[in-house]
């Protein structure tokens, strides 16, 4: 039987697990276009730059961190106007267990609580799981950038989806 998932704010003790989940995708997936792993120092700085106005959540199952999600600044002017970008990464062995859904739900609730006006998702066009997940929660496609990224000797479009919270 699948154990219950707990969604909670991340603490500094979670950063190694957060980085392990993320760096798997850096090495193996086009869901993130960067090719260099995120170092422990970089992740620590990232965490310190977040905080109450840009929360980081983890999904825990049986005491193990199996996913994480965050709100972050996409562009300073957008942040000032009440728009943040979401990020969600579920451990590759734990897909399709509603963990991504619970993390995205937590982000949307936090965004509403913070009084944000919208959320932005910036997704590589080949990433059907992420596109479908966001659409399921009401995000709508607002932009399609051609030839915007590259990885593993392939080139990719970028799709932007937005969830309006203030309407
Ligand atoms: C995208 C991701 C977070 C989804 O997490 P998950 O826990 O597997 O997703 P869930 O089980 O909550 O699924 C929710 C919905 O997402 C969609 N979805 C998830 N995986 C899918 C897949 N392989 N194919 C198509 N749709 C998929 C479906 O609409 C699904 O709803 P359904 O099961 O009722 O059809 C996960 O695949 C992941 O971590 N991928 C790599 C990192 C990534 O792409 N992150 C997004 C960058 S912001």
């Amino acid at each position: 039987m699948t154990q219950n998932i707990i969604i909670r704010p991340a603490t500094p003790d979670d950063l190694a697990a957060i980085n392990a989940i993320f760096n798997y995708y850096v090495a193996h997936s086009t869901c993130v276009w960067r090719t260099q792993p995120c170092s422990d120092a970089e992740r620590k700085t990232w965490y310190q730059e977040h905080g109450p106005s840009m929360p980081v959540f983890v999904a825990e199952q049986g005491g193990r961190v199996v996913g994480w999600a965050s709100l972050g600044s996409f562009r300073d002017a957008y942040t000032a106007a009440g728009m943040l970008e979401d990020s969600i990464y579920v451990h590759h062995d734990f897909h399709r267990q509603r963990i991504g859904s619970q993390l995205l739900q937590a982000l949307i609730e936090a965004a509403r609580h913070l009084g944000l006006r919208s959320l932005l998702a910036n997704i590589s066009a080949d990433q059907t799981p992420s596109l479908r997940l966001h659409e399921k929660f009401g995000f709508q496609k607002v932009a399609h950038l051609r030839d915007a990224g590259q990885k593993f000797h392939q080139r990719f479009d970028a799709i932007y989806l937005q969830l309006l919270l203030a309407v």
Side-chain angles (χ1 to χ4, degrees):
M1 197 180 89
T2 306
Q3 287 179 288
N4 283 346
I5 301 291
I6 297 166
I7 307 293
R8 60 165 176 79
T11 73
D13 289 341
D14 298 318
L15 295 183
I18 286 172
N19 236 7
I21 291 168
F22 180 77
N23 283 333
Y24 172 87
Y25 293 113
V26 171
H28 296 104
S29 170
T30 56
C31 68
V32 52
W33 288 340
R34 66 182 279 169
T35 54
Q36 296 304 311
C38 182
S39 69
D40 292 345
E42 189 183 345
R43 184 60 66 188
K44 188 176 173 190
T45 301
W46 169 89
Y47 181 74
Q48 288 167 345
E49 287 170 356
H50 283 68
S53 62
M54 294 186 193
V56 182
F57 295 108
V58 293
E60 192 181 297
Q61 188 181 60
R64 176 180 177 184
V65 171
V66 293
W68 62 271
S70 63
L71 296 180
S73 180
F74 181 80
R75 183 174 282 204
D76 287 348
Y78 295 173
T79 302
M83 181 202 293
L84 290 178
E85 180 186 13
D86 75 70
S87 299
I88 308 170
Y89 293 90
V90 174
H91 187 287
H92 58 280
D93 287 334
F94 290 81
H95 287 178
R96 297 313 285 262
Q97 297 181 36
R98 299 273 180 272
I99 297 170
S101 296
Q102 291 182 62
L103 285 165
L104 184 52
Q105 183 67 44
L107 291 183
I108 293 169
E109 285 170 13
R112 289 191 190 283
H113 188 71
L114 288 164
L116 297 182
R117 296 185 66 84
S118 71
L119 291 180
L120 177 70
N122 169 14
I123 301 170
S124 182
D126 64 319
Q127 293 297 313
T128 302
S130 183
L131 291 167
R132 294 292 98 79
L133 170 67
H134 284 86
E135 287 164 357
K136 197 170 173 185
F137 279 82
F139 284 69
Q140 293 187 335
K141 182 174 173 178
V142 290
H144 189 132
L145 306 189
R146 303 286 179 197
D147 206 18
Q150 56 186 336
K151 190 170 182 182
F152 304 147
H153 308 293
Q154 289 177 271
R155 302 190 64 85
F156 299 97
D157 292 357
I159 294 179
Y160 288 71
L161 298 96
Q162 191 177 19
L163 179 68
L164 298 179
L165 301 168
V167 289

